[in-house]
């Protein structure tokens, strides 16, 4: 009985110990959940402005406190005016980086990186955190009576998150580096997690607050959740939506698209085809979510009778492809919005940049122009894909091949691919003509049209053309109306935009829709408000210019007829039913149609300032030779070979 009593006492003690351990674990997990509930304050997204960032010292202005933002990128050259982080003027334990929240805030954690630089290796390996309500008296974060030292970075790019065991309410937060990389200096990029405390009288909060009235699903969607959301939209709007896929990713995930049209699944004569795609860089996820929000919004507004949306859906066939690179997205999504760094998930599973994985048709066309082969041997449009690129051994992503097949199958007129990390719209060409030149303005023959298309998006975005806004990284695109020629920013051969323009009829542009590639979920409503009007306005531009049908005298549509506009050395071609769309700015244009076996025809077509393409139809006649060949072939006879026939002369 004595043994039994001791065993019962031991068991009871073990149970109590286990209960305490479970309770401690549960409390720790609850604390962690509470901490994670607070989003980033907005150093990366620029919600925290430069005047809220302070530091003990700085090496120079380009490395001042205003540059200490998570994921901020440096310029190409050392000592640029805009550099890649905050760097202290001295390397000693008295240095600090400070954020003024401008109101009482519940701080829950800190994320750090080293300095972004091609030339230097600088990062902080450990730091302390201090708090204040008046910026004079500071309280250090402690673990009991001991100073709490947080582990910092082990290299300069991968973000490191440190959560506080208990939230701290204060106005100011300081990061005090205690050690740093031996061969480097004190340099940091920082994000702070914090929830502002309720304060209806706070002026700064009211000034920066953006709300939305749209009842949409504002969250980051996994691949499965994205597919489910598409199904929900299709179930709500079955008469105007269709889900299809254009192929598969390297890992076998289907590349799903949603079509929005009054007759889903059919190309209607005279109705232009438009596309948005996003996520070619898997870690640039804002575009993906914007397209998922757009399809929800259009479904809801169509059902509610919104005349603008109804007109757009009834008169346009719209295709939305939210995730070109789902494999890359999975990598970024797994670590979360703040911890992926600048590049995790950017490339396809086999390491290719999908957006720049297309064949370089620019060089083919420009060499042909230099040899005066245009238009005798090669056309100024629909430049063919080289044979080497189509071989199985070519370094081409399966996603790129799927996109090319999609582009060739559907007669798209206008398209935009949504990217991230900047606030600007870029337009072709993306490759500079001079080899070895990294930045050179390289316009297309349709430069004026492209500039208008780019401006239509940028000017209606809430921030892109705001001259008072802070630059995302190093370039002040607001000075250029929020747009730029791609090659004058940085040259890139084989871009999606150049390929689309040179191989198909589609004018393609890139929209960089936010400074933060992977914004926190709490930022999505504001980002939607920033981009919603731009997304709609750009779609409406597909109805600017001329459109029509090219037919023969029997009323049959002629496919592959060439549409030329005088003064613009880039032609387009008719679709399978003979219909065409040519994007043009307002003005008068002399348009000529040519087709094999038909006589050319020309007329003057006028484009007005109002949205709505001008009808410019053509009826063209067969050439005499083509009619003779057709008649001879119809009756099973061979055409007469005139050079071998001897003329019989009658005597006079």
């Amino acid at each position: 009985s004595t043994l039994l009593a001791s065993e019962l006492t031991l068991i009871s003690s073990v149970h109590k110990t286990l209960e305490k351990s479970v309770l401690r674990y549960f409390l720790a997990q609850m604390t962690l959940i509470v901490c994670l509930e607070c989003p980033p304050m907005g150093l990366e997204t620029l919600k925290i402005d430069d005047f809220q960032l302070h530091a003990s010292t700085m090496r120079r202005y380009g490395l001042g406190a205003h540059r200490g933002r998570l994921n901020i990128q440096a310029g190409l050259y050392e000592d640029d005016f805009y550099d890649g982080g905050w760097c202290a003027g001295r390397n000693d334990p008295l240095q600090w980086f400070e954020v003024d929240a401008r109101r009482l805030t519940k701080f829950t954690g800190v994320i750090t990186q080293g300095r972004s630089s091609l030339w230097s290796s600088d990062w902080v390996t450990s730091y302390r955190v201090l708090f204040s309500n008046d910026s004079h008296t500071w309280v250090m974060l402690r673990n009991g009576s001991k100073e709490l030292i947080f582990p910092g970075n082990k290299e300069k790019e991968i973000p490191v998150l440190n959560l506080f065991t208990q939230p701290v309410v204060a106005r100011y937060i300081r990061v005090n580096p205690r050690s740093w990389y031996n061969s480097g200096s004190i340099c940091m990029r920082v994000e702070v997690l914090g929830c502002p405390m309720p304060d209806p009288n706070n002026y700064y909060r009211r000034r920066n607050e953006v709300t939305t009235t749209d009842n949409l699903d504002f969250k980051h969607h996994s691949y499965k959740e994205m597919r489910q959301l598409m199904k929900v939209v299709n179930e709500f709007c079955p008469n105007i939506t269709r889900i299809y896929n254009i192929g598969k990713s390297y890992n076998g995930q289907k590349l799903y698209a949603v079509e929005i049209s009054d007759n889903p699944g059919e190309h209607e004569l005279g109705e232009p085809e438009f596309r948005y795609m996003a996520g070619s860089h898997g870690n640039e996820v804002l575009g993906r979510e914007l397209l998922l929000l757009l399809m929800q919004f259009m479904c809801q507004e169509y059902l509610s009778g919104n005349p603008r949306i109804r007109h757009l859906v009834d008169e346009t066939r719209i295709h939305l492809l939210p995730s070109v690179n789902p494999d890359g997205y999975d990598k970024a999504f797994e670590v979360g919005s703040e911890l992926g760094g600048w590049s995790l998930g950017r490339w396809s599973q086999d390491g290719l940049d999908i957006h720049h994985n297309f064949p370089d048709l620019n060089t083919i066309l420009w060499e042909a122009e230099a040899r005066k082969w245009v238009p005798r041997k090669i056309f100024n449009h629909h430049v063919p894909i080289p044979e080497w690129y189509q071989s199985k051994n070519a370094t081409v992503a399966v996603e790129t091949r799927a996109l090319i097949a999609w582009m060739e199958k559907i007669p798209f007129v206008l398209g935009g691919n949504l990217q991230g990390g900047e606030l600007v719209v870029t337009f072709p060409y993306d490759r500079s003509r001079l080899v070895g030149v990294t930045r050179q303005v390289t316009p297309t023959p349709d430069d004026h049209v492209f500039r208008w298309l780019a401006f239509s998006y940028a000017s209606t975005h809430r921030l892109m053309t705001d001259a008072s806004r802070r630059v995302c990284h190093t370039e002040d695109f607001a000075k250029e109306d929020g747009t730029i020629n791609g090659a004058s920013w940085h040259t890139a051969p084989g871009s999606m935009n150049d390929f689309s323009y040179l191989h198909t009829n589609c004018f393609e542009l890139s929209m960089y829709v936010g400074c933060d590639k992977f914004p926190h979920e709490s930022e999505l409503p504001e980002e939607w408000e920033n981009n919603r009007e731009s997304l709609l306005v750009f779609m409406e531009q597909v109805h600017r210019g001329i459109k029509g049908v090219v037919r023969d005298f029997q009323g049959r549509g002629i496919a592959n007829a060439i549409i030329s506009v005088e003064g613009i050395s880039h032609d387009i071609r008719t679709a399978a039913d003979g219909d065409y769309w040519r994007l043009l700015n307002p003005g008068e244009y002399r348009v000529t149609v040519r087709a094999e076996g038909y006589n050319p025809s020309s007329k003057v077509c006028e484009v007005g300032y109002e949205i709505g393409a001008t009808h410019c139809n053509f009826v063209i006649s067969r050439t005499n030779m083509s009619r003779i060949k057709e008649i001879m072939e119809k009756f099973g006879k061979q055409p007469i070979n005139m050079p071998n026939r001897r003329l019989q002369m009658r005597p006079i």
Side-chain angles (χ1 to χ4, degrees), residues 44-47 207-208 210 286 422-425 457-472 475-479 481-483 512-516 523 526-534:
E44 183 176 6
T45 60
L46 308 181
K47 288 184 76 172
R207 185 186 64 173
N208 296 325
V210 175
L286 177 55
E422 264 298 351
L423 276 172
V424 68
V425 180
Y457 193 100
S459 62
T460 47
H461 190 280
R462 287 187 63 253
L463 298 175
M464 279 189 188
T465 55
D466 182 358
S468 64
R469 74 169 176 85
R470 189 195 183 284
V471 299
C472 291
E475 305 279 349
D476 188 0
F477 295 113
K479 294 190 302 185
D481 292 326
T483 70
Y512 291 78
V513 291
C515 298
D516 189 350
E523 300 288 338
E526 182 171 346
E527 294 293 358
W528 167 246
E529 287 296 316
N530 288 343
N531 287 277
R532 180 185 58 194
E533 182 64 17
S534 298

Side-chain angles (χ1 to χ4, degrees), residues 504-544:
T504 76
N505 288 342
C506 185
F507 287 36
E508 181 93 13
L509 295 85
S510 292
M511 292 79 178
Y512 291 78
V513 291
C515 298
D516 189 350
K517 289 185 176 184
F518 197 151
H520 189 269
E521 205 163 86
S522 61
E523 300 288 338
L524 293 178
E526 182 171 346
E527 294 293 358
W528 167 246
E529 287 296 316
N530 288 343
N531 287 277
R532 180 185 58 194
E533 182 64 17
S534 298
L535 291 166
L536 297 175
V537 166
F538 186 74
M539 277 195 287
E540 290 169 338
Q541 303 312 304
V542 76
H543 296 284
R544 185 175 295 280

Side-chain angles (χ1 to χ4, degrees), residues 454-611:
F455 185 70
S456 72
Y457 193 100
S459 62
T460 47
H461 190 280
R462 287 187 63 253
L463 298 175
M464 279 189 188
T465 55
D466 182 358
S468 64
R469 74 169 176 85
R470 189 195 183 284
V471 299
C472 291
H473 300 284
T474 61
E475 305 279 349
D476 188 0
F477 295 113
K479 294 190 302 185
E480 305 295 331
D481 292 326
T483 70
I484 193 169
N485 171 257
S488 68
W489 185 15
H490 51 76
T491 186
S495 79
M496 183 188 298
N497 296 350
D498 289 4
F499 173 82
S500 181
Y501 180 69
L502 293 176
H503 185 68
T504 76
N505 288 342
C506 185
F507 287 36
E508 181 93 13
L509 295 85
S510 292
M511 292 79 178
Y512 291 78
V513 291
C515 298
D516 189 350
K517 289 185 176 184
F518 197 151
H520 189 269
E521 205 163 86
S522 61
E523 300 288 338
L524 293 178
E526 182 171 346
E527 294 293 358
W528 167 246
E529 287 296 316
N530 288 343
N531 287 277
R532 180 185 58 194
E533 182 64 17
S534 298
L535 291 166
L536 297 175
V537 166
F538 186 74
M539 277 195 287
E540 290 169 338
Q541 303 312 304
V542 76
H543 296 284
R544 185 175 295 280
I546 60 174
K547 69 176 183 179
V549 183
V550 179
R551 295 185 173 93
D552 61 17
F553 275 98
Q554 282 70 46
R556 295 171 300 194
I558 301 171
N560 221 31
I562 296 173
I563 311 295
S564 302
V565 178
E566 188 176 294
I568 302 176
S569 58
H570 179 82
D571 303 334
I572 63 162
R573 299 193 184 194
T574 56
D577 297 326
D579 47 350
Y580 77 92
W581 307 262
R582 182 57 163 98
L583 296 175
L584 293 167
N585 285 344
E588 282 190 353
Y589 299 91
R590 185 167 186 80
V591 182
T592 301
V593 173
R594 296 179 178 84
E596 187 176 352
Y598 292 86
N599 292 307
S601 177
S602 299
K603 65 171 61 175
V604 174
C605 304
E606 184 176 351
V607 178
Y609 287 90
E610 298 297 323
I611 286 288

Side-chain angles (χ1 to χ4, degrees), residues 19 27 52 72 110 180 188 224 307 311 318 353 385 402 555 580:
E19 285 174 1
L27 289 173
Q52 294 176 257
I72 204 164
V110 172
W180 46 93
M188 302 183 79
K224 184 178 179 180
H311 182 266
I318 301 162
D353 185 332
I385 298 173
Y580 77 92

Side-chain angles (χ1 to χ4, degrees), residues 398 480 627:
V398 292
E480 305 295 331
R627 291 175 63 195

